[in-house]
Amino acid sequence: MTFTAQGLAPVTNPLNSVLVEKKLINVDQKFIQLVSLAEGLPRTEVLESGKNYWRGVCRSAIFRFPDDLEILKLDARSYVDRSKGIIQIRSAARLGQSDLGVNLRRVEYLFNQLEKI
């Protein structure tokens, strides 16, 4: 997947993908923590890892269907307080018209775990 200064690619099928954006304090630290949480997900392979962008593929337990998972920290130059920023997470099934809510649950899990740290 690719991204622009505005963020990750939009969701084209809301039945099998989700894009969630959150404004956060300590955005650099939160990005690192989210990446660590994502890398700890079962059956997840890291495809790309950088200062502001992370991408991996998560596979389902039984059939090993691939879902793309992306985390992007948006540039915080527009904020007076540079510790504040936006993180986007996009999770999308590569196959099928419906994911039965798997991608939304994955993103919610990541953000919920982040709040516990």
Side-chain angles (χ1 to χ4, degrees), residues 6-57:
Q6 290 78 32
L8 296 171
V11 167
T12 56
N13 180 356
L15 296 177
N16 73 359
S17 56
V18 64
L19 173 63
V20 176
E21 177 177 294
K22 295 236 182 199
K23 292 181 184 178
L24 299 166
I25 297 173
N26 299 323
V27 70
D28 293 330
Q29 178 184 15
K30 298 295 185 185
F31 175 78
I32 292 167
Q33 292 169 334
L34 276 169
V35 166
S36 178
L37 289 166
E39 290 177 352
L41 292 172
R43 299 169 306 281
T44 297
E45 176 187 355
V46 177
L47 302 177
E48 185 176 345
S49 186
K51 184 179 176 184
N52 297 326
Y53 178 71
W54 181 93
R55 180 171 63 103
V57 62

mmCIF file of all heavy atoms in Angstrom, residues 6-57:
data_model
loop_
_atom_site.group_PDB
_atom_site.id
_atom_site.type_symbol
_atom_site.label_atom_id
_atom_site.label_comp_id
_atom_site.label_asym_id
_atom_site.label_seq_id
_atom_site.Cartn_x
_atom_site.Cartn_y
_atom_site.Cartn_z
ATOM 1 N N GLN A 6 -1.621 13.202 3.338
ATOM 2 C CA GLN A 6 -2.929 13.211 3.984
ATOM 3 C C GLN A 6 -3.211 11.909 4.726
ATOM 4 O O GLN A 6 -4.106 11.857 5.548
ATOM 5 C CB GLN A 6 -4.039 13.456 2.949
ATOM 6 C CG GLN A 6 -4.047 14.863 2.384
ATOM 7 C CD GLN A 6 -2.967 15.070 1.333
ATOM 8 O OE1 GLN A 6 -2.609 14.162 0.596
ATOM 9 N NE2 GLN A 6 -2.426 16.269 1.287
ATOM 10 N N GLY A 7 -2.509 10.847 4.408
ATOM 11 C CA GLY A 7 -2.712 9.610 5.148
ATOM 12 C C GLY A 7 -2.750 8.365 4.293
ATOM 13 O O GLY A 7 -2.370 8.366 3.124
ATOM 14 N N LEU A 8 -3.241 7.307 4.907
ATOM 15 C CA LEU A 8 -3.345 6.002 4.252
ATOM 16 C C LEU A 8 -4.437 6.016 3.195
ATOM 17 O O LEU A 8 -5.332 6.860 3.216
ATOM 18 C CB LEU A 8 -3.643 4.926 5.292
ATOM 19 C CG LEU A 8 -2.556 4.692 6.339
ATOM 20 C CD1 LEU A 8 -3.056 3.762 7.427
ATOM 21 C CD2 LEU A 8 -1.298 4.139 5.695
ATOM 22 N N ALA A 9 -4.365 5.049 2.302
ATOM 23 C CA ALA A 9 -5.374 4.918 1.252
ATOM 24 C C ALA A 9 -6.753 4.724 1.871
ATOM 25 O O ALA A 9 -6.893 4.031 2.883
ATOM 26 C CB ALA A 9 -5.037 3.732 0.359
ATOM 27 N N PRO A 10 -7.767 5.334 1.291
ATOM 28 C CA PRO A 10 -9.119 5.174 1.844
ATOM 29 C C PRO A 10 -9.626 3.744 1.692
ATOM 30 O O PRO A 10 -9.157 2.987 0.847
ATOM 31 C CB PRO A 10 -9.963 6.146 1.021
ATOM 32 C CG PRO A 10 -9.192 6.388 -0.217
ATOM 33 C CD PRO A 10 -7.742 6.180 0.108
ATOM 34 N N VAL A 11 -10.589 3.407 2.508
ATOM 35 C CA VAL A 11 -11.233 2.096 2.454
ATOM 36 C C VAL A 11 -12.166 2.073 1.241
ATOM 37 O O VAL A 11 -12.966 2.981 1.052
ATOM 38 C CB VAL A 11 -12.019 1.842 3.756
ATOM 39 C CG1 VAL A 11 -12.937 0.660 3.633
ATOM 40 C CG2 VAL A 11 -11.063 1.679 4.919
ATOM 41 N N THR A 12 -12.034 1.044 0.423
ATOM 42 C CA THR A 12 -12.910 0.930 -0.748
ATOM 43 C C THR A 12 -14.081 -0.006 -0.507
ATOM 44 O O THR A 12 -15.103 0.107 -1.165
ATOM 45 C CB THR A 12 -12.111 0.442 -1.979
ATOM 46 O OG1 THR A 12 -11.475 -0.785 -1.654
ATOM 47 C CG2 THR A 12 -11.062 1.472 -2.385
ATOM 48 N N ASN A 13 -13.939 -0.939 0.429
ATOM 49 C CA ASN A 13 -15.026 -1.852 0.765
ATOM 50 C C ASN A 13 -15.162 -1.914 2.289
ATOM 51 O O ASN A 13 -14.391 -2.607 2.949
ATOM 52 C CB ASN A 13 -14.770 -3.251 0.205
ATOM 53 C CG ASN A 13 -15.888 -4.225 0.534
ATOM 54 O OD1 ASN A 13 -16.832 -3.896 1.247
ATOM 55 N ND2 ASN A 13 -15.779 -5.429 0.036
ATOM 56 N N PRO A 14 -16.131 -1.210 2.853
ATOM 57 C CA PRO A 14 -16.279 -1.204 4.311
ATOM 58 C C PRO A 14 -16.708 -2.553 4.898
ATOM 59 O O PRO A 14 -16.714 -2.710 6.117
ATOM 60 C CB PRO A 14 -17.337 -0.132 4.565
ATOM 61 C CG PRO A 14 -18.076 0.008 3.284
ATOM 62 C CD PRO A 14 -17.113 -0.348 2.193
ATOM 63 N N LEU A 15 -17.035 -3.514 4.054
ATOM 64 C CA LEU A 15 -17.412 -4.838 4.552
ATOM 65 C C LEU A 15 -16.194 -5.717 4.838
ATOM 66 O O LEU A 15 -16.315 -6.745 5.510
ATOM 67 C CB LEU A 15 -18.319 -5.544 3.551
ATOM 68 C CG LEU A 15 -19.677 -4.870 3.303
ATOM 69 C CD1 LEU A 15 -20.442 -5.630 2.229
ATOM 70 C CD2 LEU A 15 -20.476 -4.791 4.594
ATOM 71 N N ASN A 16 -15.021 -5.330 4.288
ATOM 72 C CA ASN A 16 -13.845 -6.153 4.544
ATOM 73 C C ASN A 16 -12.606 -5.347 4.936
ATOM 74 O O ASN A 16 -11.498 -5.863 4.915
ATOM 75 C CB ASN A 16 -13.523 -7.054 3.350
ATOM 76 C CG ASN A 16 -12.933 -6.312 2.171
ATOM 77 O OD1 ASN A 16 -12.768 -5.096 2.195
ATOM 78 N ND2 ASN A 16 -12.609 -7.044 1.131
ATOM 79 N N SER A 17 -12.801 -4.079 5.290
ATOM 80 C CA SER A 17 -11.660 -3.263 5.683
ATOM 81 C C SER A 17 -12.108 -2.098 6.554
ATOM 82 O O SER A 17 -13.285 -1.735 6.583
ATOM 83 C CB SER A 17 -10.922 -2.753 4.450
ATOM 84 O OG SER A 17 -11.805 -2.055 3.606
ATOM 85 N N VAL A 18 -11.126 -1.521 7.261
ATOM 86 C CA VAL A 18 -11.418 -0.414 8.169
ATOM 87 C C VAL A 18 -10.207 0.514 8.212
ATOM 88 O O VAL A 18 -9.067 0.080 8.078
ATOM 89 C CB VAL A 18 -11.775 -0.946 9.578
ATOM 90 C CG1 VAL A 18 -10.615 -1.669 10.210
ATOM 91 C CG2 VAL A 18 -12.279 0.151 10.472
ATOM 92 N N LEU A 19 -10.481 1.799 8.376
ATOM 93 C CA LEU A 19 -9.450 2.814 8.567
ATOM 94 C C LEU A 19 -9.862 3.658 9.764
ATOM 95 O O LEU A 19 -10.939 4.256 9.761
ATOM 96 C CB LEU A 19 -9.311 3.695 7.323
ATOM 97 C CG LEU A 19 -8.379 4.900 7.429
ATOM 98 C CD1 LEU A 19 -6.941 4.464 7.680
ATOM 99 C CD2 LEU A 19 -8.455 5.742 6.168
ATOM 100 N N VAL A 20 -9.025 3.650 10.795
ATOM 101 C CA VAL A 20 -9.326 4.392 12.023
ATOM 102 C C VAL A 20 -8.203 5.401 12.250
ATOM 103 O O VAL A 20 -7.027 5.079 12.107
ATOM 104 C CB VAL A 20 -9.456 3.444 13.237
ATOM 105 C CG1 VAL A 20 -9.678 4.224 14.512
ATOM 106 C CG2 VAL A 20 -10.584 2.450 13.010
ATOM 107 N N GLU A 21 -8.606 6.612 12.613
ATOM 108 C CA GLU A 21 -7.662 7.698 12.859
ATOM 109 C C GLU A 21 -7.884 8.220 14.267
ATOM 110 O O GLU A 21 -9.020 8.445 14.673
ATOM 111 C CB GLU A 21 -7.901 8.795 11.828
ATOM 112 C CG GLU A 21 -7.045 10.019 12.004
ATOM 113 C CD GLU A 21 -7.275 11.037 10.910
ATOM 114 O OE1 GLU A 21 -6.950 10.754 9.749
ATOM 115 O OE2 GLU A 21 -7.805 12.119 11.236
ATOM 116 N N LYS A 22 -6.786 8.391 15.020
ATOM 117 C CA LYS A 22 -6.894 8.914 16.388
ATOM 118 C C LYS A 22 -5.880 10.018 16.596
ATOM 119 O O LYS A 22 -4.732 9.907 16.171
ATOM 120 C CB LYS A 22 -6.618 7.811 17.406
ATOM 121 C CG LYS A 22 -7.638 6.707 17.384
ATOM 122 C CD LYS A 22 -8.231 6.517 18.722
ATOM 123 C CE LYS A 22 -9.205 5.354 18.640
ATOM 124 N NZ LYS A 22 -10.135 5.315 19.663
ATOM 125 N N LYS A 23 -6.332 11.082 17.284
ATOM 126 C CA LYS A 23 -5.424 12.133 17.731
ATOM 127 C C LYS A 23 -4.862 11.691 19.073
ATOM 128 O O LYS A 23 -5.614 11.306 19.969
ATOM 129 C CB LYS A 23 -6.163 13.457 17.867
ATOM 130 C CG LYS A 23 -6.616 14.026 16.546
ATOM 131 C CD LYS A 23 -7.329 15.341 16.733
ATOM 132 C CE LYS A 23 -7.847 15.838 15.394
ATOM 133 N NZ LYS A 23 -8.591 17.095 15.514
ATOM 134 N N LEU A 24 -3.540 11.763 19.197
ATOM 135 C CA LEU A 24 -2.890 11.266 20.404
ATOM 136 C C LEU A 24 -1.844 12.244 20.918
ATOM 137 O O LEU A 24 -1.240 12.992 20.146
ATOM 138 C CB LEU A 24 -2.206 9.923 20.119
ATOM 139 C CG LEU A 24 -3.113 8.781 19.668
ATOM 140 C CD1 LEU A 24 -2.303 7.645 19.114
ATOM 141 C CD2 LEU A 24 -3.972 8.312 20.825
ATOM 142 N N ILE A 25 -1.602 12.194 22.219
ATOM 143 C CA ILE A 25 -0.492 12.908 22.852
ATOM 144 C C ILE A 25 0.672 11.924 22.911
ATOM 145 O O ILE A 25 0.470 10.715 22.999
ATOM 146 C CB ILE A 25 -0.904 13.393 24.249
ATOM 147 C CG1 ILE A 25 -2.060 14.386 24.122
ATOM 148 C CG2 ILE A 25 0.270 14.031 24.990
ATOM 149 C CD1 ILE A 25 -2.663 14.819 25.432
ATOM 150 N N ASN A 26 1.891 12.431 22.876
ATOM 151 C CA ASN A 26 3.095 11.585 22.834
ATOM 152 C C ASN A 26 3.043 10.658 21.622
ATOM 153 O O ASN A 26 3.252 9.459 21.726
ATOM 154 C CB ASN A 26 3.265 10.781 24.125
ATOM 155 C CG ASN A 26 3.430 11.665 25.337
ATOM 156 O OD1 ASN A 26 4.057 12.719 25.273
ATOM 157 N ND2 ASN A 26 2.846 11.253 26.453
ATOM 158 N N VAL A 27 2.749 11.239 20.481
ATOM 159 C CA VAL A 27 2.489 10.454 19.273
ATOM 160 C C VAL A 27 3.688 9.601 18.854
ATOM 161 O O VAL A 27 3.499 8.483 18.373
ATOM 162 C CB VAL A 27 1.980 11.362 18.122
ATOM 163 C CG1 VAL A 27 3.080 12.281 17.608
ATOM 164 C CG2 VAL A 27 1.374 10.542 17.005
ATOM 165 N N ASP A 28 4.912 10.094 19.051
ATOM 166 C CA ASP A 28 6.079 9.289 18.671
ATOM 167 C C ASP A 28 6.148 8.012 19.498
ATOM 168 O O ASP A 28 6.354 6.922 18.968
ATOM 169 C CB ASP A 28 7.369 10.098 18.843
ATOM 170 C CG ASP A 28 7.464 11.260 17.869
ATOM 171 O OD1 ASP A 28 6.911 11.154 16.758
ATOM 172 O OD2 ASP A 28 8.093 12.276 18.224
ATOM 173 N N GLN A 29 5.951 8.149 20.797
ATOM 174 C CA GLN A 29 5.965 6.991 21.687
ATOM 175 C C GLN A 29 4.793 6.052 21.384
ATOM 176 O O GLN A 29 4.960 4.833 21.367
ATOM 177 C CB GLN A 29 5.907 7.456 23.140
ATOM 178 C CG GLN A 29 5.875 6.322 24.136
ATOM 179 C CD GLN A 29 5.715 6.822 25.564
ATOM 180 O OE1 GLN A 29 5.350 7.969 25.804
ATOM 181 N NE2 GLN A 29 5.986 5.957 26.521
ATOM 182 N N LYS A 30 3.614 6.622 21.141
ATOM 183 C CA LYS A 30 2.429 5.803 20.853
ATOM 184 C C LYS A 30 2.614 5.018 19.554
ATOM 185 O O LYS A 30 2.190 3.865 19.456
ATOM 186 C CB LYS A 30 1.169 6.660 20.776
ATOM 187 C CG LYS A 30 0.827 7.382 22.057
ATOM 188 C CD LYS A 30 0.477 6.423 23.166
ATOM 189 C CE LYS A 30 0.034 7.191 24.402
ATOM 190 N NZ LYS A 30 -0.210 6.337 25.535
ATOM 191 N N PHE A 31 3.251 5.631 18.561
ATOM 192 C CA PHE A 31 3.513 4.930 17.306
ATOM 193 C C PHE A 31 4.409 3.715 17.562
ATOM 194 O O PHE A 31 4.124 2.606 17.097
ATOM 195 C CB PHE A 31 4.154 5.874 16.283
ATOM 196 C CG PHE A 31 4.560 5.186 15.010
ATOM 197 C CD1 PHE A 31 3.615 4.869 14.047
ATOM 198 C CD2 PHE A 31 5.884 4.849 14.772
ATOM 199 C CE1 PHE A 31 3.986 4.220 12.878
ATOM 200 C CE2 PHE A 31 6.257 4.208 13.608
ATOM 201 C CZ PHE A 31 5.300 3.893 12.653
ATOM 202 N N ILE A 32 5.479 3.909 18.303
ATOM 203 C CA ILE A 32 6.397 2.805 18.619
ATOM 204 C C ILE A 32 5.659 1.700 19.370
ATOM 205 O O ILE A 32 5.845 0.508 19.090
ATOM 206 C CB ILE A 32 7.603 3.325 19.430
ATOM 207 C CG1 ILE A 32 8.475 4.223 18.540
ATOM 208 C CG2 ILE A 32 8.411 2.182 20.018
ATOM 209 C CD1 ILE A 32 9.502 5.041 19.297
ATOM 210 N N GLN A 33 4.810 2.075 20.319
ATOM 211 C CA GLN A 33 4.055 1.086 21.089
ATOM 212 C C GLN A 33 3.063 0.326 20.202
ATOM 213 O O GLN A 33 2.913 -0.894 20.341
ATOM 214 C CB GLN A 33 3.339 1.766 22.250
ATOM 215 C CG GLN A 33 4.286 2.279 23.307
ATOM 216 C CD GLN A 33 3.631 3.179 24.335
ATOM 217 O OE1 GLN A 33 2.614 3.824 24.065
ATOM 218 N NE2 GLN A 33 4.217 3.244 25.533
ATOM 219 N N LEU A 34 2.384 1.037 19.309
ATOM 220 C CA LEU A 34 1.441 0.368 18.399
ATOM 221 C C LEU A 34 2.156 -0.613 17.479
ATOM 222 O O LEU A 34 1.664 -1.710 17.228
ATOM 223 C CB LEU A 34 0.671 1.394 17.568
ATOM 224 C CG LEU A 34 -0.553 1.997 18.228
ATOM 225 C CD1 LEU A 34 -1.070 3.178 17.427
ATOM 226 C CD2 LEU A 34 -1.647 0.951 18.395
ATOM 227 N N VAL A 35 3.309 -0.224 16.978
ATOM 228 C CA VAL A 35 4.084 -1.122 16.122
ATOM 229 C C VAL A 35 4.466 -2.377 16.898
ATOM 230 O O VAL A 35 4.342 -3.498 16.393
ATOM 231 C CB VAL A 35 5.327 -0.407 15.550
ATOM 232 C CG1 VAL A 35 6.312 -1.394 14.961
ATOM 233 C CG2 VAL A 35 4.898 0.622 14.505
ATOM 234 N N SER A 36 4.902 -2.206 18.129
ATOM 235 C CA SER A 36 5.258 -3.351 18.956
ATOM 236 C C SER A 36 4.058 -4.270 19.183
ATOM 237 O O SER A 36 4.172 -5.501 19.098
ATOM 238 C CB SER A 36 5.816 -2.862 20.299
ATOM 239 O OG SER A 36 6.127 -3.947 21.133
ATOM 240 N N LEU A 37 2.903 -3.674 19.460
ATOM 241 C CA LEU A 37 1.683 -4.469 19.630
ATOM 242 C C LEU A 37 1.328 -5.208 18.349
ATOM 243 O O LEU A 37 0.963 -6.386 18.380
ATOM 244 C CB LEU A 37 0.522 -3.567 20.058
ATOM 245 C CG LEU A 37 0.573 -3.013 21.478
ATOM 246 C CD1 LEU A 37 -0.435 -1.887 21.658
ATOM 247 C CD2 LEU A 37 0.326 -4.129 22.487
ATOM 248 N N ALA A 38 1.423 -4.529 17.208
ATOM 249 C CA ALA A 38 1.097 -5.151 15.918
ATOM 250 C C ALA A 38 2.037 -6.308 15.625
ATOM 251 O O ALA A 38 1.609 -7.370 15.158
ATOM 252 C CB ALA A 38 1.147 -4.111 14.803
ATOM 253 N N GLU A 39 3.317 -6.120 15.908
ATOM 254 C CA GLU A 39 4.289 -7.184 15.649
ATOM 255 C C GLU A 39 4.072 -8.381 16.559
ATOM 256 O O GLU A 39 4.493 -9.489 16.242
ATOM 257 C CB GLU A 39 5.710 -6.636 15.777
ATOM 258 C CG GLU A 39 6.061 -5.691 14.635
ATOM 259 C CD GLU A 39 7.436 -5.067 14.739
ATOM 260 O OE1 GLU A 39 8.111 -5.221 15.787
ATOM 261 O OE2 GLU A 39 7.846 -4.402 13.768
ATOM 262 N N GLY A 40 3.392 -8.169 17.676
ATOM 263 C CA GLY A 40 3.089 -9.257 18.593
ATOM 264 C C GLY A 40 1.806 -10.011 18.279
ATOM 265 O O GLY A 40 1.493 -11.001 18.942
ATOM 266 N N LEU A 41 1.060 -9.550 17.280
ATOM 267 C CA LEU A 41 -0.163 -10.252 16.895
ATOM 268 C C LEU A 41 0.180 -11.626 16.325
ATOM 269 O O LEU A 41 1.166 -11.766 15.592
ATOM 270 C CB LEU A 41 -0.946 -9.450 15.853
ATOM 271 C CG LEU A 41 -1.563 -8.134 16.307
ATOM 272 C CD1 LEU A 41 -2.122 -7.368 15.107
ATOM 273 C CD2 LEU A 41 -2.658 -8.391 17.333
ATOM 274 N N PRO A 42 -0.612 -12.642 16.625
ATOM 275 C CA PRO A 42 -0.347 -13.982 16.078
ATOM 276 C C PRO A 42 -0.360 -13.978 14.551
ATOM 277 O O PRO A 42 -1.141 -13.265 13.928
ATOM 278 C CB PRO A 42 -1.504 -14.835 16.613
ATOM 279 C CG PRO A 42 -2.080 -14.064 17.749
ATOM 280 C CD PRO A 42 -1.801 -12.614 17.482
ATOM 281 N N ARG A 43 0.531 -14.749 13.976
ATOM 282 C CA ARG A 43 0.598 -14.972 12.520
ATOM 283 C C ARG A 43 0.777 -13.669 11.747
ATOM 284 O O ARG A 43 0.215 -13.485 10.680
ATOM 285 C CB ARG A 43 -0.643 -15.735 12.045
ATOM 286 C CG ARG A 43 -0.792 -17.115 12.672
ATOM 287 C CD ARG A 43 -2.138 -17.740 12.405
ATOM 288 N NE ARG A 43 -3.275 -16.914 12.772
ATOM 289 C CZ ARG A 43 -3.738 -16.753 14.015
ATOM 290 N NH1 ARG A 43 -3.159 -17.359 15.018
ATOM 291 N NH2 ARG A 43 -4.786 -15.984 14.261
ATOM 292 N N THR A 44 1.572 -12.754 12.294
ATOM 293 C CA THR A 44 1.817 -11.475 11.635
ATOM 294 C C THR A 44 3.251 -11.424 11.130
ATOM 295 O O THR A 44 4.190 -11.723 11.873
ATOM 296 C CB THR A 44 1.556 -10.303 12.605
ATOM 297 O OG1 THR A 44 0.178 -10.325 12.971
ATOM 298 C CG2 THR A 44 1.882 -8.969 11.975
ATOM 299 N N GLU A 45 3.394 -11.038 9.891
ATOM 300 C CA GLU A 45 4.706 -10.903 9.257
ATOM 301 C C GLU A 45 4.942 -9.428 8.928
ATOM 302 O O GLU A 45 4.099 -8.777 8.306
ATOM 303 C CB GLU A 45 4.749 -11.729 7.967
ATOM 304 C CG GLU A 45 6.025 -11.580 7.179
ATOM 305 C CD GLU A 45 5.959 -12.271 5.831
ATOM 306 O OE1 GLU A 45 4.954 -12.945 5.532
ATOM 307 O OE2 GLU A 45 6.923 -12.124 5.063
ATOM 308 N N VAL A 46 6.074 -8.892 9.348
ATOM 309 C CA VAL A 46 6.429 -7.506 9.060
ATOM 310 C C VAL A 46 6.930 -7.411 7.627
ATOM 311 O O VAL A 46 7.820 -8.161 7.211
ATOM 312 C CB VAL A 46 7.510 -6.993 10.035
ATOM 313 C CG1 VAL A 46 7.920 -5.570 9.690
ATOM 314 C CG2 VAL A 46 7.029 -7.087 11.475
ATOM 315 N N LEU A 47 6.344 -6.489 6.860
ATOM 316 C CA LEU A 47 6.752 -6.271 5.480
ATOM 317 C C LEU A 47 7.583 -5.005 5.313
ATOM 318 O O LEU A 47 8.443 -4.927 4.440
ATOM 319 C CB LEU A 47 5.530 -6.207 4.552
ATOM 320 C CG LEU A 47 4.628 -7.437 4.559
ATOM 321 C CD1 LEU A 47 3.423 -7.201 3.660
ATOM 322 C CD2 LEU A 47 5.399 -8.671 4.118
ATOM 323 N N GLU A 48 7.300 -4.006 6.151
ATOM 324 C CA GLU A 48 7.999 -2.728 6.062
ATOM 325 C C GLU A 48 7.921 -2.035 7.412
ATOM 326 O O GLU A 48 6.877 -2.042 8.062
ATOM 327 C CB GLU A 48 7.329 -1.863 4.983
ATOM 328 C CG GLU A 48 8.010 -0.560 4.697
ATOM 329 C CD GLU A 48 7.356 0.206 3.552
ATOM 330 O OE1 GLU A 48 6.557 -0.372 2.791
ATOM 331 O OE2 GLU A 48 7.649 1.398 3.430
ATOM 332 N N SER A 49 9.035 -1.433 7.823
ATOM 333 C CA SER A 49 9.050 -0.746 9.102
ATOM 334 C C SER A 49 9.940 0.489 8.993
ATOM 335 O O SER A 49 11.098 0.387 8.608
ATOM 336 C CB SER A 49 9.577 -1.675 10.201
ATOM 337 O OG SER A 49 9.470 -1.070 11.460
ATOM 338 N N GLY A 50 9.344 1.656 9.296
ATOM 339 C CA GLY A 50 10.091 2.900 9.214
ATOM 340 C C GLY A 50 9.759 3.820 10.368
ATOM 341 O O GLY A 50 9.055 3.451 11.307
ATOM 342 N N LYS A 51 10.272 5.039 10.293
ATOM 343 C CA LYS A 51 10.100 6.013 11.364
ATOM 344 C C LYS A 51 8.638 6.420 11.556
ATOM 345 O O LYS A 51 8.190 6.639 12.675
ATOM 346 C CB LYS A 51 10.942 7.243 11.069
ATOM 347 C CG LYS A 51 10.908 8.280 12.148
ATOM 348 C CD LYS A 51 11.788 9.465 11.801
ATOM 349 C CE LYS A 51 11.645 10.537 12.872
ATOM 350 N NZ LYS A 51 12.386 11.739 12.548
ATOM 351 N N ASN A 52 7.879 6.513 10.462
ATOM 352 C CA ASN A 52 6.487 6.956 10.528
ATOM 353 C C ASN A 52 5.488 5.953 9.965
ATOM 354 O O ASN A 52 4.281 6.211 10.027
ATOM 355 C CB ASN A 52 6.309 8.281 9.768
ATOM 356 C CG ASN A 52 7.103 9.404 10.374
ATOM 357 O OD1 ASN A 52 7.288 9.468 11.574
ATOM 358 N ND2 ASN A 52 7.596 10.290 9.531
ATOM 359 N N TYR A 53 5.984 4.859 9.395
ATOM 360 C CA TYR A 53 5.091 3.929 8.692
ATOM 361 C C TYR A 53 5.508 2.496 8.977
ATOM 362 O O TYR A 53 6.699 2.166 8.979
ATOM 363 C CB TYR A 53 5.146 4.199 7.189
ATOM 364 C CG TYR A 53 4.307 3.272 6.346
ATOM 365 C CD1 TYR A 53 2.920 3.350 6.352
ATOM 366 C CD2 TYR A 53 4.902 2.320 5.532
ATOM 367 C CE1 TYR A 53 2.150 2.503 5.576
ATOM 368 C CE2 TYR A 53 4.139 1.468 4.743
ATOM 369 C CZ TYR A 53 2.769 1.564 4.770
ATOM 370 O OH TYR A 53 2.005 0.714 3.992
ATOM 371 N N TRP A 54 4.502 1.654 9.212
ATOM 372 C CA TRP A 54 4.722 0.224 9.420
ATOM 373 C C TRP A 54 3.672 -0.530 8.617
ATOM 374 O O TRP A 54 2.514 -0.120 8.542
ATOM 375 C CB TRP A 54 4.583 -0.109 10.908
ATOM 376 C CG TRP A 54 4.802 -1.544 11.231
ATOM 377 C CD1 TRP A 54 5.981 -2.119 11.601
ATOM 378 C CD2 TRP A 54 3.828 -2.600 11.239
ATOM 379 N NE1 TRP A 54 5.798 -3.456 11.833
ATOM 380 C CE2 TRP A 54 4.477 -3.776 11.606
ATOM 381 C CE3 TRP A 54 2.469 -2.642 10.957
ATOM 382 C CZ2 TRP A 54 3.821 -5.002 11.715
ATOM 383 C CZ3 TRP A 54 1.805 -3.859 11.058
ATOM 384 C CH2 TRP A 54 2.485 -5.017 11.435
ATOM 385 N N ARG A 55 4.078 -1.649 8.018
ATOM 386 C CA ARG A 55 3.142 -2.470 7.244
ATOM 387 C C ARG A 55 3.454 -3.933 7.482
ATOM 388 O O ARG A 55 4.604 -4.357 7.500
ATOM 389 C CB ARG A 55 3.269 -2.152 5.758
ATOM 390 C CG ARG A 55 2.342 -2.951 4.868
ATOM 391 C CD ARG A 55 2.360 -2.428 3.442
ATOM 392 N NE ARG A 55 3.661 -2.562 2.820
ATOM 393 C CZ ARG A 55 3.995 -3.501 1.928
ATOM 394 N NH1 ARG A 55 3.100 -4.396 1.555
ATOM 395 N NH2 ARG A 55 5.189 -3.536 1.418
ATOM 396 N N GLY A 56 2.383 -4.709 7.662
ATOM 397 C CA GLY A 56 2.531 -6.143 7.844
ATOM 398 C C GLY A 56 1.346 -6.882 7.257
ATOM 399 O O GLY A 56 0.376 -6.275 6.793
ATOM 400 N N VAL A 57 1.447 -8.199 7.268
ATOM 401 C CA VAL A 57 0.333 -9.037 6.834
ATOM 402 C C VAL A 57 -0.017 -9.969 7.995
ATOM 403 O O VAL A 57 0.861 -10.572 8.601
ATOM 404 C CB VAL A 57 0.654 -9.810 5.531
ATOM 405 C CG1 VAL A 57 1.804 -10.771 5.691
ATOM 406 C CG2 VAL A 57 -0.568 -10.538 5.011
#
